Structures are given as C-alpha cells and as structure tokens.
Amino acid sequence: MAEQHNSDLDAIVNGGARTPGGEQTTRLNGAPVSSENHSVTQGQQGSVDLRDVHLLEKLAHFNRERVPERVVHAKGSGAFGELHITEDVSRYTCADLFQPGRVTPMLARFSTVAGEQGSPDGWRDVRGFALKFYTQEGNYDLVGNNTPVFFIRDGIKFPDFIHSQKRLPDTGLRDANMQWDFWTRTPESAHQVAYLMGDRGIPTNFRHMDGFGSHTYQWVNEDGERFWVKYHFKTQQGWEFWTDEEAEAAVGANADTSREDLFNAIERGDYPRWDVKVQIMPLDEAEDYRWNPFDLTKVWSQKDYPLIDVGYFELNRNPKNFFAQIEQASFEPSNLVRGIGFSPDKMLIARSFAYADAARYRVGANAHHLPVNRPLNEVNTYAKDGAMAYEFNDPSDPVYSPNAYAKGAGTDDDKETSGSGVTVGVAGDLGLWDETHGTDFTRGAYVQHPEDDDFAQPGMLYREVLDDAARERMAGNIARAMAGVSEQVEQQVYEYWGKVDPHLSQRVKELFTQS
Ligand code: NDP
C-alpha cells in the first residue's frame, strides 16, 4: 500500500517534468535554436529582423510567465508528503483517507495572508495552512490557518476585510488606520486579533506552528450517522515564535525565512510532522452549545470536546518546480469527498465558491488538468473544452446527459436526495445540517401539481390549436429532423411523441420509414 502511494506521489511530483536538456536548446516547436545570445539583424549593424522567430517567441513567452497572484495568501511555500492514519475514527467518518492504516499522498501550502508575493515571511500576520489530500475517492482540500478562528464569520465581509489589510488606493501603502478601523468596527474580529497580537502572531517559520481546519465540517459514517468536526494539526516540531524586534531583525536580513526553512529542512531529511487530531461534536449538541459551533470566530473548548487522535502527516518532498506545483496549485474547500460535508458556517460556504473560482481565474478553467491538481482516481465528467484543455473523454463517450448509452449519471439513475440530507453528505456532495436548523436541502425535481404532466400541454397544442394541415406539417418536420438517428433513439422518438399524441407518433413513424 505504502509503495503504491509513493508511486502516486512520484507521478504528482514528477508530472510534467522534462528530462534534462542537452546542450542544444530548442524552440517551443522542438526545432533547434542556433543562438541564445545574438538576435538576427539586417546586416551586422542593422535593425533586428522580424523573422527571428526565436527572439519573438522568447520575449512573448517571457511576458506571459506570471499568472495573477492570489489576492490573499499570495506569498506561500509548499511541499508534498503523506497523511498516515494511526487510529480508528471510522465510527465518525467513512472518508477513505481517514480509515485505519491508510496512507494518502498530500500537498501542503503555507502562506502569509496580506502580503504580496515578494513580501517578508516574518510579518505579523495569520499563516495559511492549506492541505490537499489525493485520496482514492477524489481530492479532499482543507483550507485552514495557523489559528483556530478567523476575523469575520460571514463571507460577505471578506473583500472589505482584505481591502482594509492591504494597501491604500492613492499611496499604495499599507495603513494601520484602516486595519484598526475595520477591526474595531467588527467586534467578531477580537478573538482572532487577540491571537494575532499574542506570542503566536509571528511564528518563526511554517514548521513550528500548528494548523487548524478552523471551520466546522461534517463527518458522516458508513451508516449515515453525522457528526460535527473540527481539525487540529499540532506541530511535532513545537511552537516557536518571534517578538516584534526579533522578526524585524530577521526580515531585514531575509524576506524568505519561512520558505527557506521549509525547503532546507526537507532537503536535509529533517521532515516536519504534524499530529492530526479532531474535535467531534454529536449532531444534536450543536443547538444548545454555549458558543455557536458554526461561528468561525469561536472555538469549541477543548475541555468540552477534547482532542481525539487520528494520525499524523509528514512533508518529505520539495516541489520540483515552484511555479508548476505551488503557484498553480489550487485548494478548493468545495473539493469534498464521500464521508465529509459542509456545516452551516457562512464563511465556509462562501469559501467553497470563492477558492475554486480563484483557481478558474488565476490558472484557468482547466486548472484541475494539471498534475498537481488532478485527482488520482479517474475523472468521468461532461465538462469539456476551455482554455488549455489537456484531458478529454474517449470519443465513444457522450458529451451530454441524459443519453441513450447508459454512461455517466443520467437522470434515469439519479437518486433524488431530500429530507435528512444524509445521502447527499455521504456522497461528498453537500453535507447538510437540516435537523439542527430546520431546513431541508433537496437535490430533486420540481414539486408536481395535479396537472403537471410534461406531455399534456404539447398534446393540447397538437390537438386543440393546430388544424389538420399544420399537424401534418409538424409530423413531416419531425420526421425530416430525425435523419441520422440510431435505431434506439428512433424508438425513443416514437415513444416520446406517443405520449404527446398517439396519432402524431404514428404519423411520424410512417413518414420517417417512408423517407
Ligand atoms: P484549553 O486550555 O483546553 O486550550 C488552550 C489552547 O490555547 C490550547 O490549544 C493551546 O495550544 C492554546 N494556546 C496556548 N498558548 C497560546 C497562545 N499564546 N496563543 C494562542 N493559543 C495558545 O482551553 P479552551 O479549549 O477552553 O480554549 C480557551 C482559549 O484558548 C480559547 O478561547 C482560544 O482563544 C484558545 N485556543 C483554543 C483552541 C481550541 O480549539 N479550543 C485552540 C487554540 C487556542 P497548545 O496546546 O499548542 O499550547
């Protein structure tokens, strides 16, 4: 099993890697380049010639080397490793990655929040703690921080909050006035600001800090029983932090303290580890708990809900290419897997849209085709095309649903999920909370009214509005539009029109078979 997963990780880490190039460089079309040093000119002193396609391509590609940096968490570092499950939490979740003994390849990306890509790692700031698990049942992304709480509890405030922490529109400078103005007018920020202004507000590096899933999620076991869960990742390296003075001195000498520390530790074989623990809250305790357990600005006291051991993760491979594997990595809270669902945490729901959308904007509609973002298991989807499409379905696969070929999730075998939401949660689709909040979420059909028969109104149109000549023209139009259908689809067409009106179906059949 471990060997299997190592080769999975090899494929992710090496995906896209070119073999070392020889001395002869090539253009992007693979043809040899005659010089990397001299442009082609019209005569030795003349102007550069437009036919120097290598020069043009080289400059044009250089102009396009960057994708937009993340608006938040722009400066980050990452590494690959594995999640090891040492305990049995299967009574709480059927998620593949948390089953006893499981080893799952993963990617972690740590970051600061407010600074841009070149900003110092040592600023007083929250640190991002984003994890991607390449499970056997799809990718599971957890987007947390090194704090258990957050500044706000509703995603609608997020752009305002980040604006206040970034730069003034006129000077382009950061501004304590707007930071404190926002915080002090946002009472729910006090817990996070207390954490930030405390000792742990400037970790010395990414290895010496805890991580938290921060949000409340839902776990669902094989029997469909549901629990609320919070993730804790406790550093085995121990917490280390800087005072303001220490950080200022470090930052002055080196902007990349955390990036360098993580990379060098892994290079020398000193692999950082975090214990994975969870707090579990029985579903029905959420209603009466002394804090709102879905409010991202509150923790669940560990005295009420002690930490439960799950396992640990280790980071042991540096990326081979920072841009391809870290800058283009996308972490999407909407990437849920079977056995894990959402909670009514408003920030989590907002993030479940915003993060995936950021990847679509920054990297592209097909960001998930890149080796670092692609799941290990087969993707079987009707999504197609878009910029930089690399993967595609077998030509025999239909490109739509429902279809006659029994491929993919057509409406025929769609399970309508309603009421308890358990099916939805287990399916890693939504994960709902209706019982504690009196709301049912349904993935299902329209409510049927007494006369809601899909074929009744077209039947009325055919019988009561059209005259004989129009009915005949309609049958002819249908028969001609059927040219090229398969035998199976031909029968479907007769059945379809038969439900509208048997005479119409009969007439279509006559005209089609005569044609
Ligand atoms: P506990 O006494 O059970 O836990 C206290 C928590 O505080 C521990 O997780 C501890 O982490 C952490 N801690 C210790 N020093 C600092 C520090 N300088 N800055 C931030 N956190 C620190 O108490 P409760 O669970 O009842 O929570 C009490 C308060 O502790 C909360 O209001 C919250 O502010 C803070 N806290 C709570 C957490 C939770 O998930 N319940 C998590 C982190 C902080 P460690 O074991 O690594 O020392």
Side-chain angles (χ1 to χ4, degrees):
M1 176 70 80
E3 220 170 85
Q4 172 64 33
H5 284 292
N6 268 337
S7 71
D8 291 341
L9 198 51
D10 280 346
I12 296 164
V13 178
N14 296 327
R18 293 191 185 114
T19 48
E23 281 183 15
Q24 176 66 64
T25 57
T26 71
R27 286 192 52 219
L28 298 182
N29 70 348
V33 165
S34 54
S35 173
E36 295 288 0
N37 299 317
H38 304 292
S39 308
V40 174
T41 50
Q42 294 167 357
Q44 205 162 0
Q45 298 294 329
S47 79
V48 170
D49 193 284
L50 208 54
R51 284 167 294 183
D52 189 347
V53 286
H54 177 53
L55 168 70
L56 302 187
E57 183 178 81
K58 192 169 180 177
L59 296 178
H61 196 275
F62 178 66
N63 279 344
R64 291 163 177 76
E65 279 182 4
R66 299 284 172 271
V67 295
E69 69 172 35
R70 294 165 168 89
V71 179
V72 276
H73 297 279
K75 174 82 184 284
S77 300
F80 295 92
E82 290 99 9
L83 168 72
H84 298 252
I85 303 303
T86 55
E87 311 298 323
D88 186 352
V89 289
S90 60
R91 63 191 176 284
Y92 301 120
T93 179
C94 58
D96 173 76
L97 78 162
F98 293 123
Q99 297 314 297
R102 196 71 88 236
V103 180
T104 299
M106 61 173 290
L107 167 67
R109 182 178 182 270
F110 309 113
S111 52
T112 48
V113 177
E116 295 78 12
Q117 278 209 11
S119 62
D121 292 340
W123 274 349
R124 184 175 293 279
D125 197 357
V126 170
R127 303 296 190 262
F129 203 103
L131 308 176
K132 179 185 284 295
F133 300 103
Y134 304 95
T135 92
Q136 299 299 310
E137 298 187 344
N139 284 354
Y140 176 44
D141 294 357
L142 259 175
V143 181
N145 282 323
N146 70 335
T147 70
V149 291
F150 197 58
F151 297 93
I152 51 175
R153 54 176 161 245
D154 191 323
I156 202 166
K157 286 189 174 185
F158 192 76
D160 301 301
F161 163 58
I162 294 300
H163 289 169
S164 76
Q165 310 300 301
K166 288 270 190 178
R167 293 175 185 276
L168 284 168
D170 52 351
T171 60
L173 294 171
R174 295 189 70 187
D175 182 50
N177 193 58
M178 65 176 177
Q179 290 173 10
W180 284 103
D181 189 25
F182 181 90
W183 284 336
T184 52
R185 288 171 182 276
T186 309
E188 70 267 32
S189 69
H191 194 180
Q192 175 79 311
V193 178
Y195 205 105
L196 180 64
M197 296 297 155
D199 283 341
R200 294 187 182 181
I202 316 180
T204 52
N205 55 58
F206 298 136
R207 291 183 304 129
H208 291 94
M209 64 182 197
D210 291 344
F212 300 86
S214 305
H215 296 287
T216 296
Y217 291 87
Q218 187 182 144
W219 271 6
V220 188
N221 70 17
E222 208 64 74
D223 297 327
E225 291 172 299
R226 292 175 292 152
F227 306 86
W228 303 120
V229 62
K230 274 189 183 288
Y231 297 97
H232 297 248
F233 309 104
K234 308 286 278 185
T235 172
Q236 287 190 9
Q237 293 67 243
W239 260 101
E240 282 181 9
F241 42 80
W242 278 327
T243 61
D244 277 343
E245 295 71 29
E246 289 167 335
E248 267 168 40
V251 160
N254 182 358
D256 300 319
T257 43
S258 299
R259 180 176 289 179
E260 203 170 77
D261 173 82
L262 180 67
F263 188 89
N264 289 345
I266 292 175
E267 284 304 290
R268 67 175 179 265
D270 180 8
Y271 302 141
R273 284 186 175 188
W274 283 261
D275 290 322
V276 177
K277 297 170 186 277
V278 290
Q279 290 176 285
I280 297 282
M281 180 184 289
L283 205 71
D284 54 7
E285 290 182 17
E287 195 69 12
D288 299 323
Y289 187 48
R290 55 189 173 132
W291 318 104
N292 184 330
F294 308 120
D295 175 349
L296 184 58
T297 68
K298 309 285 192 303
V299 295
W300 304 353
S301 172
Q302 294 172 54
K303 299 175 197 81
D304 299 333
Y305 297 98
L307 299 183
I308 296 170
D309 293 331
V310 177
Y312 68 93
F313 71 78
E314 176 185 277
L315 300 180
N316 47 33
R317 303 257 197 120
N318 277 316
K320 293 208 162 169
N321 183 279
F322 186 88
F323 183 86
Q325 298 175 316
I326 304 301
E327 189 58 16
Q328 294 195 117
S330 79
F331 295 87
E332 307 174 12
S334 46
N335 283 347
L336 295 176
V337 288
R338 198 178 78 94
I340 301 171
F342 292 135
S343 77
D345 176 337
K346 293 186 194 181
M347 274 301 298
L348 174 59
I349 307 301
R351 281 185 160 139
S352 75
F353 163 72
Y355 281 54
D357 195 53
R360 286 188 282 267
Y361 164 65
R362 286 190 342 104
V363 185
N366 290 309
H368 50 285
H369 288 193
L370 297 175
V372 72
N373 295 325
R374 142 169 245 301
L376 294 175
N377 56 318
E378 276 311 301
V379 175
N380 186 11
T381 174
Y382 291 110
K384 64 194 281 285
D385 301 349
M388 307 291 286
Y390 171 69
E391 298 186 334
F392 47 86
N393 291 348
D394 188 273
S396 68
D397 282 346
V399 293
Y400 57 90
S401 167
N403 60 66
Y405 311 98
K407 287 191 174 176
T411 48
D412 291 352
D413 58 358
D414 262 359
K415 310 267 182 306
E416 281 192 14
T417 46
S418 63
S420 72
V422 168
T423 321
V424 178
V426 171
D429 186 348
L430 286 175
L432 303 166
W433 53 89
D434 51 302
E435 279 167 22
T436 44
H437 284 74
T439 311
D440 266 4
F441 279 79
T442 303
R443 188 188 287 288
Y446 262 85
V447 173
Q448 292 271 297
H449 285 220
E451 294 190 32
D452 271 338
D453 173 337
D454 291 329
F455 297 99
Q457 292 195 354
M460 285 156 66
L461 174 67
Y462 180 76
R463 283 184 298 274
E464 297 169 24
V465 180
L466 304 188
D467 59 20
D468 283 349
R471 281 201 281 265
E472 182 62 11
R473 286 195 296 275
M474 185 189 216
N477 294 340
I478 294 169
R480 282 187 296 279
M482 286 168 65
V485 296
S486 67
E487 273 180 33
Q488 181 179 344
V489 173
E490 181 188 343
Q491 294 311 316
Q492 287 174 203
V493 175
Y494 300 148
E495 275 173 43
Y496 177 84
W497 291 116
K499 289 175 187 162
V500 173
D501 188 280
H503 173 263
L504 174 60
S505 176
Q506 184 56 36
R507 193 63 194 126
V508 168
K509 190 172 186 174
E510 286 163 11
L511 292 171
F512 184 70
T513 46
Q514 284 162 19
S515 63

Short mmCIF file of all heavy atoms in Angstrom, two decimals, residues 146-149 191-192 194-196 198-201 210 212 230-232 234-235 239 241 279 289-291 297-307, ligand 1:
data_model
loop_
_atom_site.label_atom_id
_atom_site.label_comp_id
_atom_site.label_asym_id
_atom_site.label_seq_id
_atom_site.Cartn_x
_atom_site.Cartn_y
_atom_site.Cartn_z
N ASN A 146 -3.18 29.00 10.70
CA ASN A 146 -2.47 28.57 11.91
C ASN A 146 -3.19 29.08 13.16
O ASN A 146 -2.60 29.13 14.23
CB ASN A 146 -1.01 29.03 11.88
CG ASN A 146 -0.89 30.54 12.03
OD1 ASN A 146 -1.82 31.28 11.71
ND2 ASN A 146 0.25 31.00 12.51
N THR A 147 -4.42 29.50 12.99
CA THR A 147 -5.24 29.90 14.12
C THR A 147 -6.58 29.17 14.02
O THR A 147 -7.04 28.90 12.91
CB THR A 147 -5.53 31.42 14.10
OG1 THR A 147 -6.41 31.70 13.02
CG2 THR A 147 -4.26 32.23 13.93
N PRO A 148 -7.20 28.90 15.15
CA PRO A 148 -8.45 28.13 15.09
C PRO A 148 -9.65 28.97 14.73
O PRO A 148 -10.74 28.44 14.54
CB PRO A 148 -8.59 27.61 16.53
CG PRO A 148 -7.86 28.62 17.37
CD PRO A 148 -6.75 29.17 16.53
N VAL A 149 -9.46 30.29 14.65
CA VAL A 149 -10.60 31.19 14.40
C VAL A 149 -10.25 32.14 13.26
O VAL A 149 -9.16 32.09 12.70
CB VAL A 149 -10.96 32.00 15.68
CG1 VAL A 149 -11.55 31.07 16.73
CG2 VAL A 149 -9.74 32.75 16.21
N HIS A 191 -11.36 37.99 18.76
CA HIS A 191 -10.67 36.75 19.13
C HIS A 191 -9.44 36.53 18.24
O HIS A 191 -8.34 36.25 18.73
CB HIS A 191 -11.65 35.58 18.98
CG HIS A 191 -11.18 34.31 19.64
ND1 HIS A 191 -11.92 33.17 19.62
CD2 HIS A 191 -10.05 34.01 20.31
CE1 HIS A 191 -11.27 32.22 20.27
NE2 HIS A 191 -10.11 32.71 20.68
N GLN A 192 -9.63 36.70 16.94
CA GLN A 192 -8.51 36.49 16.02
C GLN A 192 -7.43 37.55 16.22
O GLN A 192 -6.24 37.24 16.15
CB GLN A 192 -9.02 36.51 14.57
CG GLN A 192 -7.95 36.41 13.52
CD GLN A 192 -7.44 35.00 13.33
OE1 GLN A 192 -7.12 34.31 14.29
NE2 GLN A 192 -7.38 34.57 12.10
N ALA A 194 -6.74 39.05 18.97
CA ALA A 194 -6.04 38.70 20.22
C ALA A 194 -4.98 37.64 19.94
O ALA A 194 -3.85 37.70 20.45
CB ALA A 194 -7.04 38.20 21.26
N TYR A 195 -5.34 36.67 19.12
CA TYR A 195 -4.40 35.61 18.76
C TYR A 195 -3.22 36.21 17.99
O TYR A 195 -2.05 35.93 18.26
CB TYR A 195 -5.14 34.59 17.88
CG TYR A 195 -4.56 33.20 17.89
CD1 TYR A 195 -5.18 32.17 18.59
CD2 TYR A 195 -3.40 32.91 17.18
CE1 TYR A 195 -4.66 30.88 18.58
CE2 TYR A 195 -2.87 31.64 17.18
CZ TYR A 195 -3.51 30.62 17.88
OH TYR A 195 -2.97 29.36 17.86
N LEU A 196 -3.57 37.09 17.03
CA LEU A 196 -2.55 37.69 16.16
C LEU A 196 -1.57 38.57 16.93
O LEU A 196 -0.38 38.60 16.64
CB LEU A 196 -3.27 38.52 15.08
CG LEU A 196 -2.42 39.24 14.06
CD1 LEU A 196 -1.65 38.24 13.21
CD2 LEU A 196 -3.31 40.11 13.17
N GLY A 198 -0.85 38.20 20.01
CA GLY A 198 -0.20 37.42 21.05
C GLY A 198 1.11 36.83 20.55
O GLY A 198 1.54 37.08 19.42
N ASP A 199 1.72 36.00 21.41
CA ASP A 199 3.02 35.43 21.07
C ASP A 199 3.00 34.69 19.74
O ASP A 199 3.96 34.72 18.98
CB ASP A 199 3.45 34.44 22.16
CG ASP A 199 3.95 35.17 23.40
OD1 ASP A 199 4.30 36.37 23.28
OD2 ASP A 199 3.98 34.54 24.48
N ARG A 200 1.92 33.97 19.49
CA ARG A 200 1.90 33.11 18.30
C ARG A 200 1.57 33.87 17.02
O ARG A 200 1.37 33.26 15.97
CB ARG A 200 0.92 31.94 18.51
CG ARG A 200 1.39 31.01 19.61
CD ARG A 200 0.55 29.76 19.74
NE ARG A 200 1.04 28.93 20.85
CZ ARG A 200 0.53 27.77 21.20
NH1 ARG A 200 -0.49 27.27 20.54
NH2 ARG A 200 1.03 27.09 22.21
N GLY A 201 1.53 35.20 17.13
CA GLY A 201 1.22 36.03 15.96
C GLY A 201 2.33 36.07 14.92
O GLY A 201 2.09 36.43 13.77
N ASP A 210 1.14 25.34 14.66
CA ASP A 210 0.01 24.42 14.49
C ASP A 210 -0.81 24.86 13.29
O ASP A 210 -0.74 26.02 12.85
CB ASP A 210 -0.92 24.43 15.72
CG ASP A 210 -0.28 23.81 16.94
OD1 ASP A 210 0.73 23.10 16.79
OD2 ASP A 210 -0.81 24.05 18.04
N PHE A 212 -4.97 24.56 11.73
CA PHE A 212 -6.37 24.27 12.09
C PHE A 212 -7.21 24.26 10.82
O PHE A 212 -7.01 25.10 9.93
CB PHE A 212 -6.93 25.36 13.03
CG PHE A 212 -6.17 25.50 14.32
CD1 PHE A 212 -5.04 26.32 14.40
CD2 PHE A 212 -6.56 24.81 15.45
CE1 PHE A 212 -4.32 26.43 15.57
CE2 PHE A 212 -5.85 24.92 16.64
CZ PHE A 212 -4.72 25.74 16.70
N LYS A 230 -14.02 19.41 13.98
CA LYS A 230 -13.01 20.46 13.77
C LYS A 230 -11.64 19.79 13.74
O LYS A 230 -11.35 18.89 14.54
CB LYS A 230 -13.04 21.48 14.91
CG LYS A 230 -14.05 22.60 14.68
CD LYS A 230 -13.88 23.67 15.73
CE LYS A 230 -14.90 24.78 15.61
NZ LYS A 230 -14.67 25.65 14.45
N TYR A 231 -10.79 20.22 12.80
CA TYR A 231 -9.46 19.63 12.63
C TYR A 231 -8.39 20.45 13.36
O TYR A 231 -8.41 21.68 13.30
CB TYR A 231 -9.07 19.60 11.15
CG TYR A 231 -9.93 18.76 10.26
CD1 TYR A 231 -10.97 19.33 9.53
CD2 TYR A 231 -9.71 17.39 10.12
CE1 TYR A 231 -11.76 18.57 8.67
CE2 TYR A 231 -10.49 16.62 9.26
CZ TYR A 231 -11.51 17.21 8.56
OH TYR A 231 -12.28 16.46 7.71
N HIS A 232 -7.46 19.74 13.98
CA HIS A 232 -6.28 20.37 14.61
C HIS A 232 -5.04 19.66 14.11
O HIS A 232 -4.99 18.43 14.11
CB HIS A 232 -6.33 20.22 16.14
CG HIS A 232 -7.51 20.91 16.77
ND1 HIS A 232 -7.37 22.02 17.58
CD2 HIS A 232 -8.83 20.66 16.71
CE1 HIS A 232 -8.57 22.41 17.98
NE2 HIS A 232 -9.48 21.61 17.48
N LYS A 234 -1.23 19.54 15.07
CA LYS A 234 -0.31 20.00 16.12
C LYS A 234 1.12 19.72 15.68
O LYS A 234 1.49 18.56 15.45
CB LYS A 234 -0.59 19.28 17.44
CG LYS A 234 -2.05 19.33 17.89
CD LYS A 234 -2.44 20.68 18.41
CE LYS A 234 -2.04 20.89 19.84
NZ LYS A 234 -2.55 22.19 20.36
N THR A 235 1.91 20.77 15.61
CA THR A 235 3.29 20.61 15.13
C THR A 235 4.09 19.72 16.08
O THR A 235 4.08 19.92 17.29
CB THR A 235 3.98 21.97 14.96
OG1 THR A 235 5.36 21.73 14.69
CG2 THR A 235 3.88 22.86 16.20
N TRP A 239 6.01 24.75 19.01
CA TRP A 239 5.75 26.14 18.61
C TRP A 239 7.02 26.98 18.81
O TRP A 239 7.67 26.88 19.85
CB TRP A 239 4.66 26.74 19.49
CG TRP A 239 3.30 26.77 18.87
CD1 TRP A 239 2.29 25.89 19.12
CD2 TRP A 239 2.81 27.72 17.93
NE1 TRP A 239 1.19 26.24 18.38
CE2 TRP A 239 1.48 27.36 17.63
CE3 TRP A 239 3.35 28.84 17.28
CZ2 TRP A 239 0.69 28.08 16.75
CZ3 TRP A 239 2.57 29.55 16.40
CH2 TRP A 239 1.26 29.17 16.14
N PHE A 241 8.14 31.20 18.16
CA PHE A 241 7.67 32.48 17.62
C PHE A 241 8.69 33.57 17.90
O PHE A 241 9.56 33.44 18.75
CB PHE A 241 6.31 32.84 18.21
CG PHE A 241 6.18 32.57 19.68
CD1 PHE A 241 6.69 33.44 20.62
CD2 PHE A 241 5.54 31.41 20.11
CE1 PHE A 241 6.57 33.17 21.98
CE2 PHE A 241 5.41 31.13 21.47
CZ PHE A 241 5.94 32.02 22.39
N GLN A 279 -11.77 17.41 16.98
CA GLN A 279 -12.81 17.51 17.99
C GLN A 279 -14.10 17.05 17.32
O GLN A 279 -14.38 17.44 16.18
CB GLN A 279 -12.99 18.95 18.47
CG GLN A 279 -11.83 19.47 19.31
CD GLN A 279 -12.04 20.94 19.64
OE1 GLN A 279 -11.87 21.80 18.79
NE2 GLN A 279 -12.41 21.22 20.88
N TYR A 289 -25.14 24.26 22.36
CA TYR A 289 -23.78 24.51 22.86
C TYR A 289 -23.63 25.98 23.21
O TYR A 289 -24.24 26.84 22.59
CB TYR A 289 -22.73 24.09 21.80
CG TYR A 289 -21.32 24.17 22.32
CD1 TYR A 289 -20.98 23.61 23.55
CD2 TYR A 289 -20.32 24.83 21.59
CE1 TYR A 289 -19.69 23.70 24.04
CE2 TYR A 289 -19.02 24.93 22.08
CZ TYR A 289 -18.71 24.36 23.31
OH TYR A 289 -17.43 24.46 23.80
N ARG A 290 -22.80 26.25 24.21
CA ARG A 290 -22.73 27.62 24.75
C ARG A 290 -22.20 28.63 23.73
O ARG A 290 -22.43 29.83 23.84
CB ARG A 290 -21.92 27.65 26.03
CG ARG A 290 -20.51 27.07 25.89
CD ARG A 290 -19.87 26.94 27.28
NE ARG A 290 -18.60 26.26 27.25
CZ ARG A 290 -17.51 26.71 27.87
NH1 ARG A 290 -17.53 27.85 28.52
NH2 ARG A 290 -16.40 26.01 27.82
N TRP A 291 -21.39 28.18 22.75
CA TRP A 291 -20.99 29.04 21.65
C TRP A 291 -21.67 28.51 20.41
O TRP A 291 -21.88 27.30 20.29
CB TRP A 291 -19.48 28.99 21.41
CG TRP A 291 -18.64 29.02 22.65
CD1 TRP A 291 -17.99 27.97 23.21
CD2 TRP A 291 -18.34 30.15 23.47
NE1 TRP A 291 -17.31 28.36 24.32
CE2 TRP A 291 -17.50 29.70 24.51
CE3 TRP A 291 -18.71 31.49 23.42
CZ2 TRP A 291 -17.02 30.55 25.51
CZ3 TRP A 291 -18.22 32.34 24.41
CH2 TRP A 291 -17.40 31.87 25.43
N THR A 297 -15.52 32.55 14.36
CA THR A 297 -14.74 33.39 15.28
C THR A 297 -14.69 32.76 16.68
O THR A 297 -14.16 33.37 17.61
CB THR A 297 -15.34 34.81 15.38
OG1 THR A 297 -16.61 34.75 16.02
CG2 THR A 297 -15.49 35.44 14.00
N LYS A 298 -15.26 31.57 16.83
CA LYS A 298 -15.29 30.90 18.14
C LYS A 298 -14.61 29.53 18.03
O LYS A 298 -14.68 28.90 16.97
CB LYS A 298 -16.73 30.66 18.60
CG LYS A 298 -17.65 31.87 18.57
CD LYS A 298 -17.34 32.82 19.71
CE LYS A 298 -18.42 33.89 19.87
NZ LYS A 298 -18.65 34.68 18.66
N VAL A 299 -13.99 29.11 19.14
CA VAL A 299 -13.51 27.72 19.18
C VAL A 299 -14.51 26.89 19.96
O VAL A 299 -15.39 27.41 20.63
CB VAL A 299 -12.13 27.62 19.88
CG1 VAL A 299 -11.06 28.34 19.07
CG2 VAL A 299 -12.19 28.14 21.31
N TRP A 300 -14.37 25.59 19.86
CA TRP A 300 -15.04 24.68 20.79
C TRP A 300 -14.02 24.43 21.90
O TRP A 300 -12.90 23.98 21.60
CB TRP A 300 -15.37 23.35 20.17
CG TRP A 300 -16.20 23.36 18.92
CD1 TRP A 300 -16.81 24.42 18.32
CD2 TRP A 300 -16.48 22.21 18.11
NE1 TRP A 300 -17.46 24.01 17.19
CE2 TRP A 300 -17.29 22.66 17.03
CE3 TRP A 300 -16.16 20.85 18.19
CZ2 TRP A 300 -17.75 21.79 16.05
CZ3 TRP A 300 -16.62 20.01 17.21
CH2 TRP A 300 -17.41 20.47 16.16
N SER A 301 -14.39 24.70 23.12
CA SER A 301 -13.42 24.48 24.20
C SER A 301 -12.97 23.02 24.17
O SER A 301 -13.76 22.10 24.02
CB SER A 301 -14.06 24.79 25.56
OG SER A 301 -13.17 24.39 26.57
N GLN A 302 -11.65 22.87 24.33
CA GLN A 302 -11.12 21.50 24.35
C GLN A 302 -11.49 20.80 25.65
O GLN A 302 -11.32 19.58 25.77
CB GLN A 302 -9.60 21.54 24.16
CG GLN A 302 -9.24 22.04 22.76
CD GLN A 302 -7.76 22.30 22.56
OE1 GLN A 302 -6.94 21.43 22.79
NE2 GLN A 302 -7.43 23.50 22.14
N LYS A 303 -11.96 21.58 26.63
CA LYS A 303 -12.45 20.95 27.87
C LYS A 303 -13.81 20.30 27.59
O LYS A 303 -14.16 19.28 28.18
CB LYS A 303 -12.55 21.98 28.98
CG LYS A 303 -11.20 22.60 29.32
CD LYS A 303 -11.31 23.72 30.33
CE LYS A 303 -10.06 24.57 30.33
NZ LYS A 303 -10.02 25.59 29.25
N ASP A 304 -14.58 20.89 26.70
CA ASP A 304 -15.89 20.31 26.35
C ASP A 304 -15.73 19.20 25.31
O ASP A 304 -16.41 18.18 25.36
CB ASP A 304 -16.81 21.39 25.74
CG ASP A 304 -17.08 22.53 26.71
OD1 ASP A 304 -17.02 22.28 27.93
OD2 ASP A 304 -17.33 23.66 26.24
N TYR A 305 -14.87 19.43 24.35
CA TYR A 305 -14.67 18.48 23.25
C TYR A 305 -13.18 18.22 23.11
O TYR A 305 -12.48 18.90 22.34
CB TYR A 305 -15.28 19.02 21.94
CG TYR A 305 -16.77 19.20 22.07
CD1 TYR A 305 -17.32 20.45 22.35
CD2 TYR A 305 -17.62 18.11 21.96
CE1 TYR A 305 -18.69 20.61 22.51
CE2 TYR A 305 -18.99 18.25 22.12
CZ TYR A 305 -19.52 19.51 22.39
OH TYR A 305 -20.88 19.66 22.57
N PRO A 306 -12.67 17.25 23.87
CA PRO A 306 -11.21 17.01 23.87
C PRO A 306 -10.71 16.56 22.50
O PRO A 306 -11.48 16.01 21.70
CB PRO A 306 -11.03 15.88 24.90
CG PRO A 306 -12.33 15.73 25.59
CD PRO A 306 -13.40 16.33 24.74
N LEU A 307 -9.43 16.80 22.28
CA LEU A 307 -8.83 16.39 21.01
C LEU A 307 -8.77 14.86 20.92
O LEU A 307 -8.39 14.20 21.88
CB LEU A 307 -7.42 16.98 20.87
CG LEU A 307 -7.32 18.50 20.88
CD1 LEU A 307 -5.87 18.94 20.67
CD2 LEU A 307 -8.21 19.12 19.81
P1 NDP B 1 -7.66 24.89 26.67
O1 NDP B 1 -6.92 25.29 27.91
O2 NDP B 1 -8.21 23.50 26.61
O3 NDP B 1 -6.74 25.10 25.38
C1 NDP B 1 -5.98 26.27 25.27
C2 NDP B 1 -5.45 26.31 23.86
O4 NDP B 1 -4.72 27.50 23.74
C3 NDP B 1 -4.51 25.18 23.50
O5 NDP B 1 -4.89 24.67 22.25
C4 NDP B 1 -3.16 25.84 23.42
O6 NDP B 1 -2.35 25.27 22.42
C5 NDP B 1 -3.54 27.23 23.00
N1 NDP B 1 -2.53 28.24 23.32
C6 NDP B 1 -1.56 28.21 24.25
N2 NDP B 1 -0.83 29.33 24.18
C7 NDP B 1 -1.36 30.08 23.19
C8 NDP B 1 -1.02 31.33 22.64
N3 NDP B 1 -0.02 32.06 23.06
N4 NDP B 1 -1.76 31.79 21.63
C9 NDP B 1 -2.80 31.08 21.18
N5 NDP B 1 -3.16 29.89 21.65
C10 NDP B 1 -2.44 29.40 22.66
O7 NDP B 1 -8.77 25.97 26.50
P2 NDP B 1 -10.09 26.03 25.61
O8 NDP B 1 -10.13 24.99 24.56
O9 NDP B 1 -11.26 26.09 26.53
O10 NDP B 1 -9.90 27.44 24.91
C11 NDP B 1 -9.56 28.60 25.67
C12 NDP B 1 -8.98 29.62 24.73
O11 NDP B 1 -7.79 29.07 24.18
C13 NDP B 1 -9.89 29.92 23.55
O12 NDP B 1 -10.77 30.97 23.81
C14 NDP B 1 -8.92 30.24 22.47
O13 NDP B 1 -8.64 31.62 22.47
C15 NDP B 1 -7.65 29.50 22.84
N6 NDP B 1 -7.46 28.34 21.96
C16 NDP B 1 -8.41 27.35 21.91
C17 NDP B 1 -8.33 26.38 20.99
C18 NDP B 1 -9.43 25.39 20.82
O14 NDP B 1 -9.52 24.78 19.74
N7 NDP B 1 -10.28 25.19 21.82
C19 NDP B 1 -7.15 26.28 20.08
C20 NDP B 1 -6.18 27.32 20.28
C21 NDP B 1 -6.36 28.32 21.18
P3 NDP B 1 -1.13 24.29 22.78
O15 NDP B 1 -1.76 23.06 23.32
O16 NDP B 1 -0.46 24.07 21.46
O17 NDP B 1 -0.28 25.02 23.77
#
